């Protein structure tokens, strides 16, 4: 079974990318196939509501999104990590989320995939839970099956990730939970 990790940060080698590598390493050790999407490496424009995807599984905007949509369509679980930007997800991640409407209109192609979320802020209480809520909204609207960290909402981190021991615990518990659910689905 395959887990795809998405970093929503525009910054290469930043906290979100390090966290995605960290959780995918854990998943790999547990025997899952993993893949990663670092949005810092791609160009994904915002949806323009042109309506083309209402009639066919195609997007009028020709950028990197179609390649990324194929990767998440192929996954059994999707774990997303976003920086907190003004109390919500990054604009890069929101643009990608909006472009996934193609998969919803083509027959809810993300339905019942496991979804889990992690958020990283500069402050201890900088809006990580609200950011996770925005990611959970995307997952719910696709009909995904959301898991948290076993007691709360997911990974809650204050940067730098490596120094936030409480945050690291929530990140670990979130990937463990996603892996546990994948095992149950086998
Ligand atoms: C435009 C912008 C808005 C931000 N807003 C918040 C915020 O509301 N709360 C917070 O805790 N940190 C905020 N930050 C800090 C980022 O969340 C933090 O630098 C980021 O999580 C680091 O992730 P990265 O290293 O993967 O890029 C903001 C940073 C930027 C650039």
């Amino acid at each position: 079974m395959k887990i795809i990790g998405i970093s929503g940060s525009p910054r290469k080698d930043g906290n979100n990318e390090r966290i995605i590598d960290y959780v995918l390493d854990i998943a790999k050790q547990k025997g899952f196939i993993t893949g990663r999407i670092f949005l810092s490496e791609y160009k994904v424009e915002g949806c323009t509501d042109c309506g083309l995807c209402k009639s066919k599984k195609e997007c009028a905007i020709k950028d990197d999104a179609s390649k990324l949509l194929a990767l998440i369509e192929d996954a059994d679980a999707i774990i997303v990590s976003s920086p907190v930007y003004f109390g919500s997800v990054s604009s890069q991640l929101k643009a990608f989320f909006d472009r996934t409407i193609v998969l919803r209109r083509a027959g809810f192609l993300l339905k019942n995939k496991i979804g889990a979320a992690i958020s990283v802020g500069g402050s201890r209480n900088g809006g990580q839970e609200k950011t996770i809520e925005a990611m959970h909204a995307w997952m719910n609207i696709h009909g995904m099956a959301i898991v948290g960290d076993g007691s709360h909402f997911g990974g809650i981190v204050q940067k730098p990730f490596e120094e936030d021991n409480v945050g690291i615990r929530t990140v670990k518990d979130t990937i463990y939970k996603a892996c546990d659910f994948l095992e149950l689905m086998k």
Side-chain angles (χ1 to χ4, degrees):
M1 300 184 99
K2 192 183 280 182
I3 304 185
I4 290 282
I6 301 175
S7 160
S9 175
R11 277 186 352 112
K12 287 193 197 313
D13 304 320
N15 293 269
N16 288 275
E17 295 190 357
R18 301 200 301 274
I19 287 170
I20 289 298
D21 278 340
Y22 182 85
V23 296
L24 293 180
D25 271 352
I26 291 175
K28 242 181 262 168
Q29 282 164 29
K30 286 179 174 287
F32 293 99
I33 300 165
T34 63
R36 63 179 207 189
I37 295 174
F38 286 174
L39 290 180
S40 66
E41 297 172 355
Y42 299 100
K43 281 263 170 290
V44 177
E45 290 176 28
C47 173
T48 58
D49 196 8
C50 72
L52 179 67
C53 63
K54 285 181 183 165
S55 54
K56 49 180 164 176
K57 191 184 170 196
E58 192 184 324
C59 183
I61 304 170
K62 301 302 172 207
D63 59 11
D64 292 326
S66 56
K67 180 165 60 185
L68 305 183
L69 294 184
L71 291 176
I72 60 171
E73 189 185 340
D74 186 44
D76 301 292
I78 303 169
I79 184 157
V80 190
S81 184
S82 179
V84 184
Y85 281 181
F86 285 96
S88 193
V89 295
S90 68
S91 55
Q92 291 79 6
L93 184 60
K94 183 63 168 72
F96 179 61
F97 279 173
D98 289 348
R99 295 288 296 285
T100 64
I101 195 164
V102 182
L103 300 179
R104 189 174 188 272
R105 287 183 170 158
F108 282 85
L109 302 179
L110 300 184
K111 186 177 154 190
N112 293 344
K113 294 184 190 295
I114 301 293
I118 296 164
S119 177
V120 190
S123 303
R124 176 77 267 160
N125 300 303
Q128 286 89 337
E129 288 188 355
K130 294 177 74 65
T131 304
I132 285 178
E133 217 168 60
M135 292 186 266
H136 284 177
W138 172 73
M139 292 168 185
N140 269 320
I141 290 166
H142 275 292
M144 293 172 65
I146 295 171
V147 298
D149 63 345
S151 56
H152 291 101
F153 306 104
I156 304 267
V157 178
Q158 179 181 19
K159 74 174 185 183
F161 165 59
E162 292 78 6
E163 291 176 19
D164 180 8
N165 289 323
V166 177
I168 290 170
R169 182 76 258 161
T170 64
V171 167
K172 275 187 184 162
D173 286 343
T174 302
I175 187 65
Y176 292 158
K177 194 78 179 168
C179 291
D180 286 351
F181 268 79
L182 283 177
E183 292 289 351
L184 290 173
M185 284 165 63
K186 269 185 186 167

